Amino acid sequence: MKPSRLLPLLVACSPFFSIGLHAEEPAKAPVNPAYVWDLGLIYKDEAAYKDAKAKLSASLPKLATFKGHLGDSPAKLLEAMDAIYDAYKLNIRLNSYASQKLDENLSDSPAMERSQEIDMVGTELSQAISYMSPELIAIGEKKIREFIAAEPKLKPYTFPLMETLRMAPHTLGAEAEQVMSSTSMISDAPQALYGILSSADIQWPTIKLSDGTDARLSQAGYTKYRAINNRQDREAVFKAFWGKFKEYERTFGVSLFSSIKGDWFRASVRKHPSSLAATLSNGNVPESVYRTLVAETNANLPTLHRYFKLRGRMLGIPELRYWDIYPPIVKLEKDFPYEDAKKLLIDSAAPLGTEYVKTLTESLNGRYTHVYPQPGKRSGAYMNGSVYDVHPFVLTNYNNNYDAVTTLAHEWGHGGHSSLTNKHQPFATSDYSIFVAEIASTLNEALLLDHMLKIAKSDEERMYYLGSALEGLRGTFFRQAMFAEFELRTHEEVEKGGALSGSKLTQIYGDILRRYHGHDQGVMKIDDLVTVEWAYIPHFYRNFYVYQYATSISASQAFAEKILKGEKGAVETYLELLKAGGSDHPYELVKRAGVDLATPAPYRALVTRMNSIMDEIEKLLAKQGK
Ligand SMILES: [Zn+2]
């Protein structure tokens, strides 16, 4: 019914990159099994995996036999729902095993084949049950509610069933639904094209840095060198890297334009007024959330500009350019070994109560995290909590710096959410939305920050954490809201019949980029060359996804503030939100917990928080006579 349920919810975390398509560069890492997840918890060996896969394939013909009989009786509907959800559950488990195995070594061909095979089974499953939604809609709400009243075992399926009925105006006939479900075989072409071009085909430039280093500017190289100390080197890095994207501007333009047209095709076929409305309707998120976010972000650009000016002052750069955006404003020469990081996470979670801390401690001490980089391993970080009967897993590329600690806090924030949801929800309502997911992760980051500020041993260290938090708010709130605005503009252009070439996309992106960075006010000069940045952002292939980073961090700041102040009931209300999983519409769940993301208040609170961090940094600077 909901095809999204066919895949594990891999919460791809960093809003700054995709979960990498490329493998992390080789690194020396201990091969202590304590630091490697135990996928034997999912399937004890390959034979067990194969048995389970055979079982799923064998169950598919049975799923088709319910066609035309869902309305026969409450017992028949229950039998069908159980069979379908068992298949979902099994598919997710198989998929998780296959993809996590692959992520240990992306160049492992058998792992790649295993993963592709299980994808095919997923498509077959989705086709086998494509009759469900049209049939349930034909049966109608009245009869389905009567069935639920008559058969208590149907109760856990109430929300998913009602969701299917809610989508009635956008659901087609059985034949058309089958065609639509088949389009999934071709609709990922633009994203695949982007992936191949940006991670394999482009011949990346190599430049010589001022210290003699040959810097190869692949995506990983760009991420590594864009923050280096020497300003001329940074400028050279930007010019070479974005220059390369500029060469392919036309091709990236065709691929993104195709993707946006695909969004509009699916939206209009399903009779949605816009691509945005289609995406938001999945979780019943009011459009006012999206529009309030964009409006409030624009209204608060002076705060972002204040940050840039402070950045310029601290870096000693009077005229900021785009290549001055990444170097840290405060440096910290401090190592955070993994075992120390675990302790920091556990200590920082104390405000969430002993139950939560106990779960987190068990998570960190069990074999649930693939900790260190190793040759061929997937880059970035993610959490997978969708194997319902097994503990959540986290993949990181831990490298002992403070960023790695915050990433770990973020991912296990997701992990804690999944643990609570899986414990308190039946499988049918355990799939929480991304709209809520990034609240759980960024809340734990906020708690970590608070803890680090408390235990910091010097003003310098304190300033480092404040600077890092500030950068987090820029990257997760302002930058993602900027992306959200770009997505809105480009989709609207296509919806009114316009065409988007690479250069047109560059022009639209450039206008927005300049506005956000105060180009006209002399805050930061945006050179033409960097306005091709849109071509690099993988998230644009997941339409209207990134806004949730911005809404989530606004909500999590609000929750963290109440929790840290010790406001009565704040912890309980927040934990209720996590326990609720996917049992209701995500916007409603967050609103019920006290934060209404369709109003300006949470966004304004985030901006206030950002200003108070800057006040504090300025105070520390004044103390140092700077
Ligand atoms: Zn995340």
Side-chain angles (χ1 to χ4, degrees):
M1 303 195 296
K2 284 204 285 174
S4 64
R5 200 61 186 104
L6 293 171
L7 288 172
L9 179 75
L10 291 184
V11 192
C13 284
S14 170
F16 314 122
F17 318 99
S18 60
I19 37 176
L21 295 155
H22 54 285
E24 194 67 41
E25 285 170 27
K28 288 190 193 79
V31 240
N32 182 342
Y35 300 124
V36 178
W37 57 26
D38 179 11
L39 300 185
L41 295 167
I42 307 180
Y43 289 113
K44 72 176 189 323
D45 53 27
E46 191 66 18
Y49 168 81
K50 285 199 169 130
D51 283 353
K53 185 170 156 249
K55 195 179 149 208
L56 176 60
S57 294
S59 75
L60 297 183
K62 164 103 179 160
L63 299 182
T65 64
F66 296 109
K67 188 174 179 185
H69 297 287
L70 298 176
D72 286 2
S73 67
K76 197 71 187 173
L77 181 60
L78 177 64
E79 196 192 336
M81 293 302 282
D82 282 345
I84 286 164
Y85 273 83
D86 281 351
Y88 279 169
K89 197 158 115 178
L90 187 51
N91 184 60
I92 287 172
R93 190 165 181 149
L94 287 160
N95 224 303
S96 296
Y97 180 82
S99 67
Q100 287 179 245
K101 268 270 182 228
L102 176 63
D103 292 344
E104 293 177 345
N105 183 2
L106 295 171
S107 57
D108 178 7
S109 304
M112 177 67 87
E113 280 157 28
R114 189 194 293 118
S115 172
Q116 286 166 345
E117 274 169 24
I118 197 64
D119 274 356
M120 293 298 290
V121 179
T123 304
E124 286 167 27
L125 169 56
S126 154
Q127 284 166 350
I129 55 164
S130 60
Y131 65 88
M132 285 284 294
S133 296
E135 191 169 325
L136 288 168
I137 287 164
I139 295 167
E141 183 173 345
K142 186 170 171 287
K143 191 164 174 187
I144 289 176
R145 286 207 185 269
E146 282 165 14
F147 279 14
I148 295 169
E151 174 50 83
K153 285 186 187 150
L154 275 172
K155 201 161 174 266
Y157 298 117
T158 308
F159 185 67
L161 283 168
M162 291 306 133
E163 278 297 272
T164 303
L165 298 175
R166 184 175 64 82
M167 299 309 273
H170 308 292
T171 304
L172 312 169
E175 198 177 340
E177 279 300 325
Q178 179 144 25
V179 172
M180 286 302 276
S181 99
S182 304
T183 61
S184 70
M185 286 189 291
I186 44 173
S187 57
D188 63 352
Q191 188 172 12
L193 177 66
Y194 163 85
I196 295 290
L197 188 56
S198 66
S199 61
D201 281 356
I202 290 187
Q203 297 293 308
W204 298 109
T206 298
I207 61 167
K208 206 173 256 321
L209 301 177
S210 52
D211 65 357
T213 308
D214 285 319
R216 183 170 175 268
L217 298 174
S218 61
Q219 298 211 32
Y222 167 70
T223 309
K224 183 173 169 188
Y225 293 111
R226 67 188 179 183
I228 51 176
N229 250 336
N230 184 301
R231 192 175 186 222
Q232 274 152 6
D233 284 348
R234 287 202 305 272
E235 182 176 344
V237 166
F238 269 61
K239 287 189 168 159
F241 186 70
W242 296 118
K244 196 44 97 171
F245 269 91
K246 191 78 186 168
E247 284 175 32
Y248 292 89
E249 183 185 46
R250 268 187 305 232
T251 312
F252 280 117
V254 171
S255 100
L256 187 55
F257 182 36
S258 307
S259 174
I260 296 171
K261 279 191 291 188
D263 294 339
W264 179 223
F265 161 73
R266 283 180 294 278
S268 53
V269 165
R270 292 192 179 285
K271 306 182 188 72
H272 290 283
S274 67
S275 307
L276 177 66
T279 302
L280 297 185
S281 78
N282 284 322
N284 208 21
V285 175
E287 215 168 300
S288 53
V289 169
Y290 203 96
R291 298 196 184 272
T292 306
L293 168 70
V294 171
E296 281 301 310
T297 310
N298 275 282
N300 285 292
L301 287 177
T303 294
L304 181 62
H305 298 168
R306 178 186 171 192
Y307 168 47
F308 289 140
K309 286 182 211 154
L310 178 63
R311 160 168 281 275
R313 179 182 153 198
M314 292 178 76
L315 292 175
I317 298 170
E319 285 174 2
L320 285 172
R321 307 283 277 272
Y322 202 44
W323 42 85
D324 298 317
I325 208 163
Y326 291 109
I329 48 177
V330 187
K331 291 205 176 61
L332 182 68
E333 297 299 330
K334 189 171 170 162
D335 225 31
F336 295 87
Y338 184 64
E339 291 300 325
D340 293 3
K342 280 163 62 177
K343 185 171 183 328
L344 291 172
L345 258 58
I346 291 165
D347 290 348
S348 68
L352 293 177
T354 47
E355 231 0 74
Y356 187 95
V357 169
K358 187 167 163 269
T359 306
L360 180 64
T361 308
E362 284 166 7
S363 297
L364 288 165
N365 288 335
R367 288 190 55 198
Y368 307 119
T369 310
H370 199 299
V371 180
Y372 293 106
Q374 67 184 36
K377 179 176 166 180
R378 186 175 290 275
S379 63
Y382 68 76
M383 188 284 307
N384 180 13
S386 56
V387 190
Y388 184 71
D389 306 305
V390 181
H391 196 280
F393 291 97
V394 160
L395 177 144
T396 67
N397 280 277
Y398 196 83
N399 63 0
N400 288 24
N401 63 20
Y402 181 66
D403 273 355
V405 184
T406 57
T407 301
L408 196 68
H410 180 110
E411 299 307 339
W412 277 115
H414 287 309
H417 187 185
S418 283
S419 290
L420 282 171
T421 289
N422 291 347
K423 190 171 161 193
H424 292 271
Q425 293 296 323
F427 173 71
T429 50
S430 63
D431 59 331
Y432 55 77
S433 152
I434 296 288
F435 190 85
V436 180
E438 295 299 342
I439 296 176
S441 55
T442 51
L443 182 110
N444 284 33
E445 283 188 59
L447 296 183
L448 177 69
L449 170 69
D450 184 73
H451 180 64
M452 298 312 287
L453 289 172
K454 277 183 188 140
I455 61 167
K457 293 202 174 64
S458 64
D459 280 355
E460 208 53 33
E461 199 182 336
R462 220 181 135 68
M463 193 124 90
Y464 173 81
Y465 299 132
L466 291 168
S468 155
L470 210 46
E471 187 49 24
L473 293 172
R474 178 195 73 83
T476 312
F477 182 74
F478 281 105
R479 184 168 163 88
Q480 306 306 319
M482 176 178 84
F483 289 164
E485 189 172 345
F486 174 74
E487 285 188 82
L488 190 57
R489 285 273 305 280
T490 49
H491 280 83
E492 281 173 353
E493 187 65 32
V494 169
E495 285 158 21
K496 61 181 196 214
L500 295 170
S501 62
S503 60
K504 178 85 191 252
L505 287 160
T506 297
Q507 180 232 313
I508 295 174
Y509 190 81
D511 287 349
I512 298 175
L513 195 66
R514 289 196 165 95
R515 177 152 42 83
Y516 272 68
H517 293 77
H519 176 86
D520 290 342
Q521 295 95 318
V523 178
M524 181 183 287
K525 184 170 180 222
I526 300 295
D527 295 81
D528 282 342
L529 191 68
V530 302
T531 55
V532 71
E533 189 180 41
W534 61 268
Y536 161 78
I537 310 297
H539 293 82
F540 290 152
Y541 293 87
R542 311 174 74 172
N543 59 324
F544 303 113
Y545 184 90
V546 296
Y547 85 95
Q548 300 168 108
Y549 289 120
T551 52
S552 287
I553 198 167
S554 306
S556 72
Q557 297 298 307
F559 287 123
E561 201 178 307
K562 291 179 194 187
I563 290 166
L564 290 168
K565 266 196 214 150
E567 205 174 276
K568 196 165 173 290
V571 172
E572 292 71 20
T573 310
Y574 173 68
L575 293 180
E576 281 308 313
L577 169 66
L578 303 192
K579 289 174 190 169
S583 60
D584 202 346
H585 298 130
Y587 163 76
E588 288 300 331
L589 289 173
V590 179
K591 192 175 163 192
R592 208 177 298 153
V595 176
D596 186 349
L597 288 163
T599 65
Y603 310 110
R604 290 179 188 170
L606 177 136
V607 167
T608 305
R609 166 108 184 104
M610 202 163 164
N611 277 307
S612 75
I613 292 175
M614 288 191 275
D615 292 344
E616 215 160 320
I617 291 179
E618 281 170 357
K619 242 186 268 168
L620 290 170
L621 286 174
K623 207 169 136 190
Q624 294 172 347
K626 284 180 189 162

